[in-house]
Amino acid sequence: MPVLEADKLLEYHRSKRLHEYSLILMWSLFTISCNYVPAEIYESEGFTSRKAMKAEMFSRAVCLYHNGGEKNKFTLLQATLLLGFWNSDIEDHMQPWHWSGQAINLCQVLGLHRDIDSVGYNTNITERQRPLFRRLWWTCFWRDRWISVALGRPLRINLDDSDTPDPLVTDMAADLEGIPESISAAYLPRDLPQLAEKWIQLIHMAKLLGKILTQCYQLRRPKPTIAQIDSLESEILRFGLADHPDPMLSRLATFYHYHLQLHYQLSHLGHILSAL
């Protein structure tokens, strides 16, 4: 989920200035990173479990969100997207829905659902901001589609109200070019270009899922015709996802290939069920 500016975060870390980095982003990031720390880390910090440590990080981020200390809406948007991955147990299953909604609201308030160059090149937006804005909007879109499926909730984003250009593979690397080689080798995956391509595929798959949900599951919409179902089926089959990943990929990229494949199978299954 490419919502942070990696070069900024890594530079703060390299120069030992993390205390100057956004506090709400830091706690939100810790909420996710708790999933990957070894047991000795959370035990050394006095937590009895990874879940307990994650809950503490989450509560601190939420506190910062609600106390109004952070005024930058882009920072709040990044934080809410990260907080949307909080789901510790069955009692908290609505948290992703809540935080996804907050992120979408912020996106639309900031105008990220609109093409910033729709009436000509907008000189107020820098070349660095453009890929970040696309990444933020399309990440919100992706979360909207899949959380709606998972929780049986209506879609929040109507693409007919948006003209933001599709994301590009190069958007993923837009803020990585100036990172020193030693830092890049230590903290970034070596097959980032392949991961970027898979992220683009995931966004396109989310679009297909949105079509399935809109065409086949909206309550007041007429039932789709056989021709419409066949057309959507053809579009799904044209997606062209390989059954097996390239054996030269890293374990991380291989994992994301199967992650993408799982999303594809779920989308296809949803379409098949709609035709029954």
Side-chain angles (χ1 to χ4, degrees):
M1 193 173 69
V3 301
L4 297 179
E5 295 169 280
D7 57 346
K8 284 188 176 182
L9 176 58
L10 290 173
E11 176 56 26
Y12 275 105
H13 175 67
R14 185 198 65 79
S15 58
K16 302 186 186 304
R17 294 186 297 118
L18 277 178
H19 60 281
E20 299 176 14
Y21 191 66
S22 167
L23 200 55
I24 188 172
L25 282 184
M26 187 60 68
W27 289 122
S28 301
L29 189 59
F30 286 165
T31 301
I32 293 179
S33 61
C34 286
N35 293 316
Y36 307 101
V37 298
E40 56 266 24
I41 296 295
Y42 63 74
E43 289 173 354
S44 67
E45 294 298 323
F47 295 100
T48 57
S49 66
R50 181 177 286 105
K51 178 180 176 181
M53 184 178 187
K54 186 175 179 179
E56 179 65 22
M57 304 299 106
F58 177 77
S59 66
R60 294 186 184 191
V62 171
C63 178
L64 287 168
Y65 181 85
H66 288 304
N67 73 12
E70 180 58 67
K71 301 300 182 183
N72 188 310
K73 287 185 171 58
F74 286 101
T75 300
L76 291 173
L77 169 56
Q78 292 169 309
T80 51
L81 282 168
L82 294 173
L83 290 173
F85 281 86
W86 168 260
N87 190 4
S88 65
D89 50 42
I90 193 169
E91 285 78 18
D92 286 322
H93 75 284
M94 294 309 297
Q95 290 283 0
W97 173 259
H98 168 75
W99 292 110
S100 173
Q102 295 298 313
I104 292 169
N105 289 342
L106 285 165
C107 249
Q108 292 172 334
V109 166
L110 292 165
L112 301 190
H113 63 299
R114 298 304 312 273
D115 181 2
I116 56 179
D117 297 319
S118 59
V119 293
Y121 185 81
N122 189 338
T123 57
N124 293 321
I125 307 299
T126 68
E127 290 304 312
R128 180 185 175 89
Q129 290 173 318
R130 292 167 187 274
L132 175 63
F133 289 176
R134 285 193 293 269
R135 291 186 341 233
L136 290 170
W137 168 250
W138 287 109
T139 298
C140 281
F141 172 80
W142 162 64
R143 292 290 289 165
D144 176 55
R145 268 35 185 178
W146 288 101
I147 290 176
S148 294
V149 169
L151 299 179
R153 295 274 174 159
L155 300 175
R156 283 181 164 124
I157 293 177
N158 182 353
L159 279 186
D160 289 338
D161 298 324
S162 171
D163 58 357
T164 296
D166 287 348
L168 306 171
V169 171
T170 53
D171 289 347
M172 292 282 284
D175 50 7
L176 303 179
E177 295 177 357
I179 298 177
E181 180 63 30
S182 58
I183 301 296
S184 178
Y187 294 103
L188 298 177
R190 61 177 173 79
D191 37 18
L192 191 61
Q194 291 88 343
L195 291 173
E197 291 175 1
K198 294 187 185 303
W199 184 70
I200 297 298
Q201 287 181 304
L202 188 62
I203 299 301
H204 288 311
M205 196 179 298
K207 284 188 173 184
L208 282 175
L209 179 63
K211 288 182 180 180
I212 294 170
L213 295 174
T214 301
Q215 189 176 100
C216 305
Y217 291 99
Q218 282 189 336
L219 293 179
R220 295 184 179 275
R221 190 182 183 95
K223 289 187 176 181
T225 65
I226 296 299
Q228 288 174 320
I229 291 175
D230 288 344
S231 175
L232 193 51
E233 173 76 6
S234 298
E235 193 172 353
I236 293 171
L237 294 175
R238 284 198 304 270
F239 193 80
L241 185 64
D243 290 336
H244 302 287
D246 185 337
M248 299 303 294
L249 291 177
S250 66
R251 291 184 64 186
L252 178 64
T254 299
F255 168 81
Y256 278 109
H257 175 88
Y258 287 120
H259 179 75
L260 184 63
Q261 195 173 71
L262 178 61
H263 280 70
Y264 175 78
Q265 296 296 339
L266 288 172
S267 297
H268 201 182
L269 177 62
H271 180 61
I272 292 172
L273 292 175
S274 72
L276 296 179

